[in-house]
Amino acid sequence: MTAGRSFSGSLMLPRHLHCVGSRYMARAGPPQPPFMTSNLFRCPRWTGQHPSSPYPPTITQHPLGQSRPYNWCAPQRTATCGTNSCPWFPPQPSWIQVSYCNMSSAGDESFRKRRKNTEAEDWRQKSWPKRSYPPANDLRVPPKHGSSEVTDPKMEVKASVMRRWEDFSHLYPDRPVESKFDFTVMSYNILSQDLLEDNCSLYSHCRRPYLFWNYRLPNILHELQEMNADILCLQEVQENHYQEQIKPSLEALGYCCVYKSRTGNKPDGCAICFKTAKFTLKLVKPVEYFRHNISLLDRDNVGLVLMLQPKTERCASSVCVANTHLLYNPRRGDIKLAQLAILLAEITEVARMQDGNFCPIVLCGDFNSVPGSPLHRFIKEGTLQYAGMTIGKVSGQELYPRGQRILSIPIWPDSLGINHKCVYEACKDGQTTEPLKEEATKDAGQVAEVDKRYQNRVESSLQHHFQLSSVYSHFFPDTGLPEVTTCHSRSAVTVDYIFYSAAKNNLFTQPGSSVPCNGLQLLGRLLLLTEQDLWSLNGLPNETNSSDHLSLLARFRLEV
């Protein structure tokens, strides 16, 4: 919420809500921590009474012992925590924060765009008609999309689609316990509440109570606990929710949490959380893609890189875990490639070992690119020829790309300090000396070497040093239908991935760089769903899945 904004006009609130102060904190009952963020009543769908959540949190119970079904299964889980150990437990009734907000998603990408213009000022001064509200004790759930029947949540039968765990461990030779280290990794875009409210048109199919934060939070935390992954890579983590609710809850479950907020005062960021019983933190490397002196890199997306040391009896290699959320805009593939190059350069810096090889790498995140797109192929194959490619085709998000400008050669300027192999050169962090051509000396051999380096800089190709494979195949082999990781009113596609450096004896190794790299074996994965499966549950978010993305989960083995 933008500081200093006031709410004017004659908008009527329910009688049990009272305006307090210039920011209009509407209270229902005794003061409690705010579970609703700002921008609640941004469009007509959000008007009306907000009941205190009638849905009790379920994180304290095992799914096999409760009535609420969940549409996923997971590998072996540990015992769940008790009620007192979960600081996120939402007291009722909760606070509701109300402010002026503009529900339109201005700009070319789906994140908050605040525009202080004349139209907004006129909107705030407009006289609004009185609106009718249901009684304060009306807890009925609005009808599903296309239905006219209103139901009572207590009488509702909750639908679910089971996600199957696919196990590959039996395909590998058995090894002694002391010579292997198994761990699980989860990647999950949990959908920032502010972004949800800023882009309500994407969720017009959803039933309103399922979009409130005090309904979504218990579902999200319950899913994180039930998955019980050793490493969590989370995107769109809203900072205030992270500090007040998510981080304390995960720490109570034995996680150590590291967070990187987006630049430009954006409300969300990326987080990596790991079980302290299985790993020791060696290094934290936050990655910002914004560069003040480079117009191409004017966006506020970020990444996060951690070096984790497995806790094993034998000496084991460290594991590099990277998490990111690349730019959404389908028409700016040039920005996406530049952001990815920065992340790969940072991974190269921290993952290279003394012998010149790389430690095992796990790369997770929302890459806003579909399977088979040039950006996706670049990650998996380690090379990309982009001469003549239009910027709208890089991510493959649009069937008919609107970005028709050809990618420049090179894509990013020399001042970034990263070459076409996605490696930092002598100068870093945007600080450079004179151009390479001016490094020439009287020594003819040195001149030739400088010319060669300059020629490499302007090659119309990109490369990276890692042999990365995708955990998922992106299509169901029996039906040929595509897997889906996100599903809302506008699209249903795969944009989330878990990439990993595969061991030589890994069964799912894919073509890539030949640079030596200690790798991992894929032991299992939580299968995704089809678009038809998700729409049978009324899309995402829904009653049991409280994000517009599905979680990804994989089990790996590191030989020690």
Side-chain angles (χ1 to χ4, degrees), residues 474-494:
H474 312 308
F475 291 90
F476 289 94
D478 51 344
T479 62
L481 294 175
E483 299 171 336
V484 168
T485 66
T486 181
C487 179
H488 50 66
S489 296
R490 192 171 296 173
S491 66
V493 293
T494 288

Side-chain angles (χ1 to χ4, degrees), residues 401-469:
R402 290 173 287 173
Q404 296 302 320
R405 180 168 58 83
I406 302 296
L407 285 168
S408 61
I409 302 176
I411 297 175
W412 53 82
D414 292 346
S415 58
L416 182 59
I418 296 177
N419 62 24
H420 74 285
K421 295 183 179 180
C422 298
V423 175
Y424 280 114
E425 296 182 321
C427 296
K428 190 178 175 182
D429 297 330
Q431 301 176 356
T432 60
T433 57
E434 297 299 318
L436 290 175
K437 282 247 179 176
E438 297 180 12
E439 296 177 356
T441 65
K442 295 181 181 180
D443 190 320
Q446 290 181 345
V447 172
E449 180 64 23
V450 170
D451 287 340
K452 182 178 179 181
R453 290 167 57 194
Y454 183 81
Q455 185 64 33
N456 287 340
R457 177 75 69 84
V458 296
E459 286 185 0
S460 59
S461 66
L462 296 178
Q463 300 175 27
H464 67 74
H465 291 295
F466 315 117
Q467 185 171 355
L468 298 176
S469 299

Side-chain angles (χ1 to χ4, degrees), residues 149-162:
E149 183 179 353
V150 179
T151 60
D152 189 318
K154 298 179 182 179
M155 304 295 293
E156 218 175 27
V157 177
K158 300 176 181 179
S160 65
V161 175
M162 297 298 296

